Amino acid sequence: MKKEVLYEIKALYRDDFRVTGYTFGEGEKALCIIGSMRGNENQQLYCCSRLVARLKQLEEEGRLIPGKQILVIPCANPYSINTKKRFWCTDNTDINRMFPGYALGETTQRIAAGVFEAVKGWQYGIQFASFYMPGAFVPHIRMMDTGYQDTELACEFGLPYVVVQKPRPFDTATLNYNWQIWGTHAFSLYTTNTARVDEESALQAENAVMSFMARRRLINHHPHGGYRSEVIRSADFVSIRATCSGFLQCMVKPGQRVQKDTLLARILDPYEGCVLAELRAPMLGVIAFAGDEPMVYENTAVLKLIREEA
Amino acid sequence: MIEIVTQVSLPVDEHLSIKKNRLQPEDGSNGRRISIVTGIHGDELEGQYVCWLVQQRIAQHPECLKGTVDIYPAMNPFGIDSVTRGIPAFDLDMNRIFPGSVDGDMNEYIAAQIVGDISGSDLAVDIHASNIYLTEIPQIRINEISAQRLVPLAMKANVDFVWVHGASTVLESTLAYSLNSRGVDTLVVEMGVGMRITRTYCEQLTDGIFNLMRELNIWTDEVCTTHTPIVSSVADEVEFLNAPVSGVFVKSVNHGALLGPGDEIGLIVDPLHGTLLNRVISPCEGWLFTVREYPMVDQGSLMARILKGHMEEAARKGGAAQ
């Protein structure tokens, strides 16, 4: 294992800003894994730390395939993690809206450029990504529909779903999109949580990456069985929206299969405690996302359902 | 007349309303329509005073109003109330969610309702104030794909600068892009600085808005405009100066200054060690139309934008050679 600083900015009063990478093996740039890019992505950092430990152990046991190199960057934004701010501390910009970056541009453009310089040119790229809404997701691989995506490869993680998403304008400045455009097979791996560390889904994510590495012949490892992934489009998610504002009482969990008309959540009056609305399953399906904020705004998608044929 | 453009209920005993004031001729006649929009970014307040000035002037001569003036002072009431640029609670930049969706979440729904309400205007003016970090000369920014239609209008807006910039996919999520693509000519004004009101700039733009209203036959009174903008539509005419080191930026010149190569724009200092980290100098001859206002800089922070050339035009604007 080789630990090195991949990108650095000198600060005035804080310790220098450093993006640190861990390289395993030598040779062809096979797989690059990147963790948290935002200050609330604790789970994403945690998943990477587990992989660093696991790869270190594999290396010591001589189970890395010769001629293949693996890079893990646990965190591309330690400043924001340390100050518990989601975006860049100074100007609230999002590094994952700055790719491929600009080395002579503004601070987060420079960081994105520095990170992209380190992560481009790899055959496979995995980003531990997070959803912008607080809640829990069924673990899945997400990829942009750029025409370069390879869903069959994505199935090798053995996660329940592979979601293909049509890029929106702001997606064109994300790492996943630019990775694909620059020739890397890019996968965004969503575990259940973001701010809170969830051991169960972290283990599932670790096993998924281990399986992918084994199937791609990057490590000597027996891949876990996993799931036979179902490939769906993000447009196939059915959003179940709050019909009014109030306390959210969610009754289902991601991955749970529900029948049509199953009671999924209730919205309670914050003053009087009475039930303002019941949210029911519009069809047979699997819960893909369940919001976990105590208060919900009217019209917010608090649940997402993957439709299943009856 | 105050109208509610859209409204949603909040969790605890409150409604979020987007409001506008519709001003129409006293005789009830209909004419063309201008929409004056501001407050998409909650930390940009220059447009607040413009909204007030426009109404004051109409109130002084209501007989001169021959069309509809819709004033939307607060597109992002949450942001304005909480001194936040984006939409608090969602950590979203409101100017990245247009055109929105009536089937979307609360913010997308509001965005869609706003676009729907402004649609049909003959002209929209979307007033911004850069951000809290930079001070700007009054200027209109135009996406190159709309330049042919919008530059002639911008010339009449009494601003000092019209910057035609390159198209960018990310900018397709702005209110201006959404409106322009729906056939509503929309001018994006940037002027002054975040969290402040610059009275002279607001008065200057107000004159420009009345001049545009006169062009559209919405206003009949004489309008005095004193500013003819410099127009830049060449990509490499604008020089960006980013901080080479992190530190405290102390500016040496104000925006609007005429600069020569080697002129000092500011200093980046280190108050802990008492050292000078960098003397920020102009790399070219030009007009300083943006300068950093907020002193703290990270490596890469934008400190200045300089329009190269155009020295004679800039000098006529009262720019002073340093």
Side-chain angles (χ1 to χ4, degrees), chain A residues 9-13 86-88 90-92 104-107 110 132 169 172 241 245 270-271 295-299, chain B residues 9-13 89-91 103-106 109 133 169 173 242 246-248 270-271 296 298-302:
Chain A
I9 289 180
K10 299 275 177 209
L12 181 64
Y13 294 132
R86 187 166 175 231
F87 298 132
W88 185 247
T90 314
D91 60 10
N92 211 39
L104 301 175
E106 297 221 30
T107 311
R110 291 180 184 217
Y132 75 97
T172 58
R241 297 180 183 280
S245 298
Y271 278 179
M295 283 285 185
V296 65
Y297 292 96
E298 181 182 351
N299 227 34
Chain B
S9 70
L10 299 176
V12 184
D13 201 15
F90 295 88
D91 229 347
D103 298 318
D105 69 17
M106 185 179 93
Y109 174 80
Y133 308 105
T169 312
S173 304
N242 298 81
S246 303
V248 178
D270 177 347
M296 302 308 294
D298 290 330
Q299 188 180 317
S301 297
L302 186 63

Tab-separated table of all heavy atoms in Angstrom, chain A residues 9-13 86-88 90-92 104-107 110 132 169 172 241 245 270-271 295-299, chain B residues 9-13 89-91 103-106 109 133 169 173 242 246-248 270-271 296 298-302:
chain	number	residue	atom	x	y	z
A	9	ILE	N	-3.846	22.116	-1.139
A	9	ILE	CA	-3.965	23.577	-1.176
A	9	ILE	C	-3.470	24.096	0.166
A	9	ILE	O	-3.853	23.580	1.218
A	9	ILE	CB	-5.436	24.018	-1.381
A	9	ILE	CG1	-5.905	23.713	-2.799
A	9	ILE	CG2	-5.601	25.496	-1.101
A	9	ILE	CD1	-7.344	24.125	-3.061
A	10	LYS	N	-2.643	25.131	0.097
A	10	LYS	CA	-2.174	25.746	1.336
A	10	LYS	C	-3.269	26.653	1.884
A	10	LYS	O	-3.888	27.411	1.140
A	10	LYS	CB	-0.919	26.586	1.069
A	10	LYS	CG	0.248	25.786	0.521
A	10	LYS	CD	1.032	25.151	1.637
A	10	LYS	CE	2.162	24.292	1.081
A	10	LYS	NZ	2.503	23.174	1.952
A	11	ALA	N	-3.483	26.590	3.177
A	11	ALA	CA	-4.499	27.434	3.801
A	11	ALA	C	-3.840	28.514	4.637
A	11	ALA	O	-2.640	28.441	4.931
A	11	ALA	CB	-5.409	26.581	4.657
A	12	LEU	N	-4.624	29.504	5.028
A	12	LEU	CA	-4.064	30.579	5.850
A	12	LEU	C	-3.975	30.157	7.313
A	12	LEU	O	-2.919	30.209	7.913
A	12	LEU	CB	-4.945	31.832	5.707
A	12	LEU	CG	-4.482	33.057	6.498
A	12	LEU	CD1	-3.133	33.539	6.010
A	12	LEU	CD2	-5.519	34.181	6.387
A	13	TYR	N	-5.087	29.732	7.876
A	13	TYR	CA	-5.102	29.398	9.299
A	13	TYR	C	-5.310	27.911	9.582
A	13	TYR	O	-4.921	27.431	10.633
A	13	TYR	CB	-6.223	30.186	10.002
A	13	TYR	CG	-5.984	31.680	10.006
A	13	TYR	CD1	-6.990	32.557	9.627
A	13	TYR	CD2	-4.762	32.216	10.390
A	13	TYR	CE1	-6.787	33.925	9.635
A	13	TYR	CE2	-4.542	33.573	10.389
A	13	TYR	CZ	-5.551	34.436	10.012
A	13	TYR	OH	-5.338	35.769	10.019
A	86	ARG	N	-21.919	20.730	4.484
A	86	ARG	CA	-22.107	19.812	3.361
A	86	ARG	C	-21.225	20.201	2.182
A	86	ARG	O	-20.598	19.361	1.546
A	86	ARG	CB	-23.581	19.809	2.952
A	86	ARG	CG	-23.920	18.762	1.918
A	86	ARG	CD	-25.419	18.571	1.809
A	86	ARG	NE	-25.725	17.650	0.731
A	86	ARG	CZ	-26.593	17.885	-0.234
A	86	ARG	NH1	-27.268	19.011	-0.244
A	86	ARG	NH2	-26.800	17.006	-1.180
A	87	PHE	N	-21.171	21.509	1.886
A	87	PHE	CA	-20.417	21.957	0.724
A	87	PHE	C	-19.143	22.689	1.154
A	87	PHE	O	-18.819	22.744	2.334
A	87	PHE	CB	-21.305	22.829	-0.169
A	87	PHE	CG	-22.510	22.083	-0.715
A	87	PHE	CD1	-23.772	22.630	-0.648
A	87	PHE	CD2	-22.365	20.818	-1.276
A	87	PHE	CE1	-24.875	21.938	-1.135
A	87	PHE	CE2	-23.455	20.121	-1.776
A	87	PHE	CZ	-24.715	20.681	-1.698
A	88	TRP	N	-18.460	23.279	0.193
A	88	TRP	CA	-17.184	23.953	0.475
A	88	TRP	C	-17.401	25.062	1.496
A	88	TRP	O	-18.317	25.885	1.374
A	88	TRP	CB	-16.588	24.512	-0.834
A	88	TRP	CG	-15.242	25.096	-0.645
A	88	TRP	CD1	-14.884	26.410	-0.759
A	88	TRP	CD2	-14.050	24.385	-0.298
A	88	TRP	NE1	-13.550	26.561	-0.512
A	88	TRP	CE2	-13.015	25.340	-0.216
A	88	TRP	CE3	-13.763	23.046	-0.033
A	88	TRP	CZ2	-11.707	24.983	0.103
A	88	TRP	CZ3	-12.463	22.686	0.304
A	88	TRP	CH2	-11.462	23.654	0.354
A	90	THR	N	-16.090	27.896	2.375
A	90	THR	CA	-16.033	29.333	2.128
A	90	THR	C	-17.211	29.824	1.304
A	90	THR	O	-17.837	30.829	1.650
A	90	THR	CB	-14.726	29.683	1.380
A	90	THR	OG1	-13.662	29.008	2.013
A	90	THR	CG2	-14.483	31.176	1.390
A	91	ASP	N	-17.509	29.144	0.215
A	91	ASP	CA	-18.513	29.709	-0.688
A	91	ASP	C	-19.686	28.767	-0.952
A	91	ASP	O	-20.511	29.036	-1.817
A	91	ASP	CB	-17.870	30.134	-2.016
A	91	ASP	CG	-17.200	28.964	-2.738
A	91	ASP	OD1	-17.386	27.805	-2.316
A	91	ASP	OD2	-16.496	29.217	-3.723
A	92	ASN	N	-19.754	27.669	-0.202
A	92	ASN	CA	-20.898	26.743	-0.288
A	92	ASN	C	-21.060	26.108	-1.674
A	92	ASN	O	-22.158	25.728	-2.053
A	92	ASN	CB	-22.196	27.461	0.109
A	92	ASN	CG	-23.187	26.508	0.765
A	92	ASN	OD1	-22.800	25.627	1.542
A	92	ASN	ND2	-24.453	26.653	0.443
A	104	LEU	N	-7.073	26.497	-13.255
A	104	LEU	CA	-6.811	27.916	-13.038
A	104	LEU	C	-8.059	28.650	-12.555
A	104	LEU	O	-8.098	29.876	-12.498
A	104	LEU	CB	-6.318	28.567	-14.336
A	104	LEU	CG	-5.042	27.978	-14.935
A	104	LEU	CD1	-4.712	28.612	-16.281
A	104	LEU	CD2	-3.870	28.162	-13.977
A	105	GLY	N	-9.100	27.908	-12.231
A	105	GLY	CA	-10.372	28.515	-11.874
A	105	GLY	C	-10.509	28.762	-10.380
A	105	GLY	O	-9.526	28.951	-9.668
A	106	GLU	N	-11.775	28.746	-9.917
A	106	GLU	CA	-12.040	28.992	-8.504
A	106	GLU	C	-11.680	27.748	-7.682
A	106	GLU	O	-11.419	26.672	-8.231
A	106	GLU	CB	-13.498	29.372	-8.331
A	106	GLU	CG	-13.798	30.672	-9.079
A	106	GLU	CD	-14.702	31.603	-8.318
A	106	GLU	OE1	-14.685	31.593	-7.072
A	106	GLU	OE2	-15.434	32.356	-8.973
A	107	THR	N	-11.712	27.905	-6.374
A	107	THR	CA	-11.133	26.888	-5.487
A	107	THR	C	-11.705	25.489	-5.745
A	107	THR	O	-10.941	24.527	-5.931
A	107	THR	CB	-11.368	27.293	-4.016
A	107	THR	OG1	-10.975	28.650	-3.862
A	107	THR	CG2	-10.576	26.414	-3.073
A	110	ARG	N	-10.653	24.057	-8.925
A	110	ARG	CA	-9.265	23.572	-8.852
A	110	ARG	C	-9.200	22.209	-8.163
A	110	ARG	O	-8.458	21.319	-8.583
A	110	ARG	CB	-8.393	24.577	-8.089
A	110	ARG	CG	-8.194	25.865	-8.845
A	110	ARG	CD	-7.329	26.844	-8.079
A	110	ARG	NE	-7.265	28.094	-8.838
A	110	ARG	CZ	-6.196	28.875	-8.934
A	110	ARG	NH1	-5.093	28.570	-8.301
A	110	ARG	NH2	-6.240	29.979	-9.637
A	132	TYR	N	-29.553	13.638	-2.428
A	132	TYR	CA	-29.646	14.962	-1.809
A	132	TYR	C	-30.715	15.039	-0.735
A	132	TYR	O	-30.694	15.927	0.094
A	132	TYR	CB	-29.882	16.044	-2.882
A	132	TYR	CG	-31.282	16.088	-3.451
A	132	TYR	CD1	-32.227	16.987	-2.976
A	132	TYR	CD2	-31.666	15.224	-4.467
A	132	TYR	CE1	-33.506	17.035	-3.488
A	132	TYR	CE2	-32.947	15.256	-4.981
A	132	TYR	CZ	-33.857	16.161	-4.492
A	132	TYR	OH	-35.129	16.195	-4.993
A	169	PRO	N	-29.261	18.901	-16.653
A	169	PRO	CA	-28.171	19.843	-16.963
A	169	PRO	C	-27.047	19.837	-15.922
A	169	PRO	O	-25.866	19.792	-16.267
A	169	PRO	CB	-28.887	21.192	-17.013
A	169	PRO	CG	-30.264	20.860	-17.492
A	169	PRO	CD	-30.586	19.527	-16.873
A	172	THR	N	-24.098	17.140	-15.795
A	172	THR	CA	-22.950	17.154	-16.710
A	172	THR	C	-21.671	17.628	-16.012
A	172	THR	O	-20.596	17.519	-16.576
A	172	THR	CB	-23.230	18.047	-17.923
A	172	THR	OG1	-23.535	19.371	-17.469
A	172	THR	CG2	-24.387	17.520	-18.742
A	241	ARG	N	-45.676	11.227	-2.805
A	241	ARG	CA	-45.447	12.560	-2.252
A	241	ARG	C	-46.354	12.837	-1.067
A	241	ARG	O	-47.492	12.337	-0.998
A	241	ARG	CB	-45.693	13.616	-3.331
A	241	ARG	CG	-44.723	13.483	-4.477
A	241	ARG	CD	-44.942	14.521	-5.557
A	241	ARG	NE	-44.024	14.266	-6.648
A	241	ARG	CZ	-42.753	14.626	-6.655
A	241	ARG	NH1	-42.262	15.297	-5.625
A	241	ARG	NH2	-41.971	14.337	-7.671
A	245	SER	N	-48.121	19.070	4.732
A	245	SER	CA	-46.925	19.173	5.587
A	245	SER	C	-47.248	18.685	6.992
A	245	SER	O	-48.397	18.765	7.429
A	245	SER	CB	-46.462	20.623	5.659
A	245	SER	OG	-46.108	21.091	4.397
A	270	PRO	N	-48.767	18.741	13.489
A	270	PRO	CA	-47.736	19.000	14.492
A	270	PRO	C	-48.275	19.612	15.778
A	270	PRO	O	-47.614	19.568	16.811
A	270	PRO	CB	-46.791	19.988	13.803
A	270	PRO	CG	-47.208	20.069	12.395
A	270	PRO	CD	-48.612	19.560	12.293
A	271	TYR	N	-49.447	20.205	15.733
A	271	TYR	CA	-50.028	20.784	16.956
A	271	TYR	C	-51.003	19.841	17.640
A	271	TYR	O	-51.031	19.750	18.849
A	271	TYR	CB	-50.770	22.078	16.608
A	271	TYR	CG	-49.881	23.305	16.484
A	271	TYR	CD1	-50.425	24.540	16.148
A	271	TYR	CD2	-48.511	23.240	16.705
A	271	TYR	CE1	-49.632	25.669	16.031
A	271	TYR	CE2	-47.707	24.359	16.585
A	271	TYR	CZ	-48.271	25.574	16.247
A	271	TYR	OH	-47.482	26.680	16.127
A	295	MET	N	-39.937	16.056	9.988
A	295	MET	CA	-40.921	16.975	9.406
A	295	MET	C	-40.865	16.879	7.891
A	295	MET	O	-39.778	16.799	7.312
A	295	MET	CB	-40.574	18.411	9.782
A	295	MET	CG	-40.939	18.774	11.185
A	295	MET	SD	-42.705	19.015	11.334
A	295	MET	CE	-42.757	19.577	13.035
A	296	VAL	N	-41.998	16.945	7.263
A	296	VAL	CA	-42.010	16.840	5.812
A	296	VAL	C	-42.789	18.017	5.228
A	296	VAL	O	-43.753	18.498	5.818
A	296	VAL	CB	-42.605	15.477	5.392
A	296	VAL	CG1	-44.068	15.380	5.783
A	296	VAL	CG2	-42.423	15.223	3.935
A	297	TYR	N	-42.291	18.481	4.082
A	297	TYR	CA	-42.983	19.557	3.376
A	297	TYR	C	-43.993	18.962	2.399
A	297	TYR	O	-43.767	17.884	1.835
A	297	TYR	CB	-41.989	20.407	2.583
A	297	TYR	CG	-41.058	21.221	3.439
A	297	TYR	CD1	-39.788	20.768	3.749
A	297	TYR	CD2	-41.453	22.462	3.925
A	297	TYR	CE1	-38.927	21.523	4.529
A	297	TYR	CE2	-40.597	23.227	4.715
A	297	TYR	CZ	-39.337	22.750	5.013
A	297	TYR	OH	-38.487	23.491	5.781
A	298	GLU	N	-45.047	19.721	2.182
A	298	GLU	CA	-46.070	19.333	1.215
A	298	GLU	C	-45.431	19.079	-0.153
A	298	GLU	O	-44.554	19.824	-0.576
A	298	GLU	CB	-47.094	20.474	1.102
A	298	GLU	CG	-48.228	20.215	0.158
A	298	GLU	CD	-49.170	21.414	0.066
A	298	GLU	OE1	-49.022	22.370	0.853
A	298	GLU	OE2	-50.044	21.387	-0.815
A	299	ASN	N	-45.839	18.046	-0.798
A	299	ASN	CA	-45.423	17.710	-2.162
A	299	ASN	C	-44.017	17.090	-2.271
A	299	ASN	O	-43.539	16.814	-3.357
A	299	ASN	CB	-45.509	18.934	-3.084
A	299	ASN	CG	-46.188	18.577	-4.383
A	299	ASN	OD1	-47.084	17.745	-4.398
A	299	ASN	ND2	-45.755	19.171	-5.474
B	9	SER	N	-48.202	24.983	1.963
B	9	SER	CA	-48.256	24.994	3.424
B	9	SER	C	-46.971	24.404	3.984
B	9	SER	O	-46.404	23.469	3.423
B	9	SER	CB	-49.465	24.199	3.913
B	9	SER	OG	-49.271	22.827	3.664
B	10	LEU	N	-46.506	24.979	5.086
B	10	LEU	CA	-45.304	24.488	5.767
B	10	LEU	C	-45.734	23.639	6.962
B	10	LEU	O	-46.899	23.696	7.370
B	10	LEU	CB	-44.443	25.672	6.192
B	10	LEU	CG	-43.949	26.538	5.024
B	10	LEU	CD1	-43.187	27.761	5.529
B	10	LEU	CD2	-43.061	25.717	4.100
B	11	PRO	N	-44.803	22.877	7.532
B	11	PRO	CA	-45.228	21.941	8.581
B	11	PRO	C	-45.919	22.609	9.770
B	11	PRO	O	-46.918	22.102	10.262
B	11	PRO	CB	-43.912	21.271	9.003
B	11	PRO	CG	-43.035	21.356	7.799
B	11	PRO	CD	-43.396	22.657	7.137
B	12	VAL	N	-45.379	23.735	10.230
B	12	VAL	CA	-45.910	24.274	11.481
B	12	VAL	C	-46.502	25.669	11.291
B	12	VAL	O	-45.765	26.665	11.251
B	12	VAL	CB	-44.819	24.287	12.587
B	12	VAL	CG1	-45.412	24.757	13.911
B	12	VAL	CG2	-44.222	22.897	12.759
B	13	ASP	N	-47.793	25.733	11.104
B	13	ASP	CA	-48.561	26.974	11.227
B	13	ASP	C	-48.047	28.109	10.340
B	13	ASP	O	-47.916	29.242	10.785
B	13	ASP	CB	-48.530	27.400	12.716
B	13	ASP	CG	-49.674	28.348	13.042
B	13	ASP	OD1	-50.617	28.437	12.238
B	13	ASP	OD2	-49.597	29.019	14.081
B	89	ALA	N	-32.909	24.625	4.273
B	89	ALA	CA	-33.606	23.346	4.526
B	89	ALA	C	-33.404	22.379	3.371
B	89	ALA	O	-33.475	21.181	3.552
B	89	ALA	CB	-35.105	23.515	4.790
B	90	PHE	N	-33.156	22.894	2.179
B	90	PHE	CA	-32.940	22.000	1.035
B	90	PHE	C	-31.517	22.101	0.489
B	90	PHE	O	-31.104	21.281	-0.308
B	90	PHE	CB	-33.935	22.330	-0.089
B	90	PHE	CG	-35.357	22.063	0.284
B	90	PHE	CD1	-36.117	23.035	0.903
B	90	PHE	CD2	-35.925	20.823	0.063
B	90	PHE	CE1	-37.432	22.792	1.269
B	90	PHE	CE2	-37.232	20.571	0.429
B	90	PHE	CZ	-37.993	21.558	1.033
B	91	ASP	N	-30.795	23.164	0.899
B	91	ASP	CA	-29.426	23.350	0.424
B	91	ASP	C	-29.373	23.366	-1.103
B	91	ASP	O	-28.492	22.783	-1.724
B	91	ASP	CB	-28.523	22.224	0.954
B	91	ASP	CG	-27.255	22.809	1.558
B	91	ASP	OD1	-27.003	23.999	1.339
B	91	ASP	OD2	-26.519	22.071	2.243
B	103	ASP	N	-45.230	18.550	-10.931
B	103	ASP	CA	-45.305	17.253	-10.242
B	103	ASP	C	-44.094	17.020	-9.344
B	103	ASP	O	-43.945	15.948	-8.761
B	103	ASP	CB	-45.382	16.114	-11.273
B	103	ASP	CG	-46.623	16.230	-12.133
B	103	ASP	OD1	-47.692	16.536	-11.565
B	103	ASP	OD2	-46.532	16.036	-13.356
B	104	GLY	N	-43.224	18.013	-9.268
B	104	GLY	CA	-41.995	17.836	-8.506
B	104	GLY	C	-42.175	18.153	-7.035
B	104	GLY	O	-43.302	18.317	-6.550
B	105	ASP	N	-41.039	18.246	-6.304
B	105	ASP	CA	-41.145	18.553	-4.880
B	105	ASP	C	-41.520	20.023	-4.700
B	105	ASP	O	-41.749	20.749	-5.666
B	105	ASP	CB	-39.864	18.177	-4.135
B	105	ASP	CG	-38.690	19.066	-4.485
B	105	ASP	OD1	-38.897	20.157	-5.044
B	105	ASP	OD2	-37.550	18.671	-4.195
B	106	MET	N	-41.553	20.446	-3.454
B	106	MET	CA	-42.049	21.796	-3.159
B	106	MET	C	-41.325	22.871	-3.965
B	106	MET	O	-41.955	23.772	-4.539
B	106	MET	CB	-41.880	22.059	-1.660
B	106	MET	CG	-42.456	23.367	-1.194
B	106	MET	SD	-42.227	23.586	0.582
B	106	MET	CE	-40.680	24.478	0.604
B	109	TYR	N	-42.037	22.621	-7.701
B	109	TYR	CA	-43.413	23.067	-7.928
B	109	TYR	C	-43.466	24.600	-7.940
B	109	TYR	O	-44.050	25.205	-8.839
B	109	TYR	CB	-44.306	22.501	-6.816
B	109	TYR	CG	-45.725	22.997	-6.850
B	109	TYR	CD1	-46.652	22.456	-7.730
B	109	TYR	CD2	-46.139	24.029	-5.998
B	109	TYR	CE1	-47.956	22.931	-7.764
B	109	TYR	CE2	-47.434	24.509	-6.026
B	109	TYR	CZ	-48.340	23.953	-6.910
B	109	TYR	OH	-49.631	24.426	-6.953
B	133	TYR	N	-19.180	38.060	-2.224
B	133	TYR	CA	-17.716	38.108	-2.362
B	133	TYR	C	-17.235	39.167	-3.344
B	133	TYR	O	-16.102	39.618	-3.266
B	133	TYR	CB	-17.198	36.740	-2.829
B	133	TYR	CG	-17.685	35.608	-1.964
B	133	TYR	CD1	-18.683	34.749	-2.397
B	133	TYR	CD2	-17.142	35.406	-0.692
B	133	TYR	CE1	-19.154	33.718	-1.594
B	133	TYR	CE2	-17.602	34.377	0.111
B	133	TYR	CZ	-18.608	33.538	-0.342
B	133	TYR	OH	-19.071	32.526	0.465
B	169	THR	N	-24.180	24.033	-20.364
B	169	THR	CA	-25.315	23.152	-20.064
B	169	THR	C	-25.875	23.432	-18.676
B	169	THR	O	-27.091	23.423	-18.467
B	169	THR	CB	-24.860	21.676	-20.145
B	169	THR	OG1	-24.131	21.516	-21.353
B	169	THR	CG2	-26.036	20.740	-20.149
B	173	SER	N	-30.519	25.492	-16.347
B	173	SER	CA	-31.434	25.364	-15.209
B	173	SER	C	-31.764	26.712	-14.583
B	173	SER	O	-32.354	26.762	-13.505
B	173	SER	CB	-30.818	24.472	-14.136
B	173	SER	OG	-30.476	23.229	-14.675
B	242	ASN	N	-7.536	34.902	-10.294
B	242	ASN	CA	-7.832	34.061	-9.131
B	242	ASN	C	-6.663	34.103	-8.157
B	242	ASN	O	-5.510	34.250	-8.572
B	242	ASN	CB	-8.087	32.617	-9.581
B	242	ASN	CG	-9.285	32.518	-10.508
B	242	ASN	OD1	-9.193	32.786	-11.701
B	242	ASN	ND2	-10.423	32.164	-9.966
B	246	SER	N	-3.844	31.379	-0.404
B	246	SER	CA	-4.890	31.701	0.562
B	246	SER	C	-4.399	32.812	1.475
B	246	SER	O	-3.216	32.853	1.826
B	246	SER	CB	-5.229	30.464	1.406
B	246	SER	OG	-5.623	29.395	0.576
B	247	GLY	N	-5.286	33.711	1.851
B	247	GLY	CA	-4.888	34.809	2.723
B	247	GLY	C	-5.993	35.831	2.860
B	247	GLY	O	-7.162	35.524	2.637
B	248	VAL	N	-5.593	37.051	3.230
B	248	VAL	CA	-6.553	38.139	3.374
B	248	VAL	C	-6.301	39.133	2.247
B	248	VAL	O	-5.202	39.681	2.122
B	248	VAL	CB	-6.416	38.835	4.746
B	248	VAL	CG1	-7.396	40.000	4.857
B	248	VAL	CG2	-6.646	37.834	5.866
B	270	ASP	N	-0.777	37.925	5.176
B	270	ASP	CA	-0.891	36.894	6.207
B	270	ASP	C	-0.812	37.587	7.567
B	270	ASP	O	0.281	37.964	8.017
B	270	ASP	CB	0.261	35.883	6.045
B	270	ASP	CG	0.249	34.821	7.138
B	270	ASP	OD1	-0.477	34.991	8.146
B	270	ASP	OD2	0.977	33.822	7.000
B	271	PRO	N	-1.941	37.767	8.221
B	271	PRO	CA	-1.923	38.493	9.497
B	271	PRO	C	-1.230	37.720	10.623
B	271	PRO	O	-0.817	38.325	11.606
B	271	PRO	CB	-3.411	38.677	9.828
B	271	PRO	CG	-4.128	38.495	8.540
B	271	PRO	CD	-3.316	37.486	7.785
B	296	MET	N	-11.448	37.465	2.800
B	296	MET	CA	-10.807	36.147	2.926
B	296	MET	C	-10.775	35.451	1.561
B	296	MET	O	-11.799	35.369	0.882
B	296	MET	CB	-11.551	35.266	3.931
B	296	MET	CG	-11.666	35.837	5.335
B	296	MET	SD	-10.095	36.377	6.046
B	296	MET	CE	-9.217	34.832	6.195
B	298	ASP	N	-9.373	31.860	-0.533
B	298	ASP	CA	-8.693	30.575	-0.631
B	298	ASP	C	-7.896	30.596	-1.924
B	298	ASP	O	-8.207	31.381	-2.832
B	298	ASP	CB	-9.709	29.427	-0.738
B	298	ASP	CG	-10.475	29.198	0.539
B	298	ASP	OD1	-9.913	29.466	1.616
B	298	ASP	OD2	-11.641	28.752	0.452
B	299	GLN	N	-6.949	29.741	-2.015
B	299	GLN	CA	-6.253	29.596	-3.298
B	299	GLN	C	-7.301	29.308	-4.369
B	299	GLN	O	-8.077	28.356	-4.243
B	299	GLN	CB	-5.257	28.449	-3.193
B	299	GLN	CG	-4.348	28.305	-4.377
B	299	GLN	CD	-3.385	27.143	-4.181
B	299	GLN	OE1	-2.829	26.970	-3.096
B	299	GLN	NE2	-3.208	26.342	-5.196
B	300	GLY	N	-7.361	30.147	-5.387
B	300	GLY	CA	-8.353	29.965	-6.453
B	300	GLY	C	-9.527	30.921	-6.374
B	300	GLY	O	-10.257	31.081	-7.350
B	301	SER	N	-9.732	31.567	-5.236
B	301	SER	CA	-10.875	32.487	-5.130
B	301	SER	C	-10.758	33.588	-6.175
B	301	SER	O	-9.680	34.133	-6.413
B	301	SER	CB	-10.925	33.133	-3.739
B	301	SER	OG	-11.124	32.164	-2.752
B	302	LEU	N	-11.889	33.945	-6.756
B	302	LEU	CA	-11.892	35.000	-7.775
B	302	LEU	C	-11.684	36.358	-7.099
B	302	LEU	O	-12.364	36.686	-6.128
B	302	LEU	CB	-13.217	34.987	-8.546
B	302	LEU	CG	-13.298	35.944	-9.727
B	302	LEU	CD1	-12.277	35.596	-10.800
B	302	LEU	CD2	-14.704	35.940	-10.335
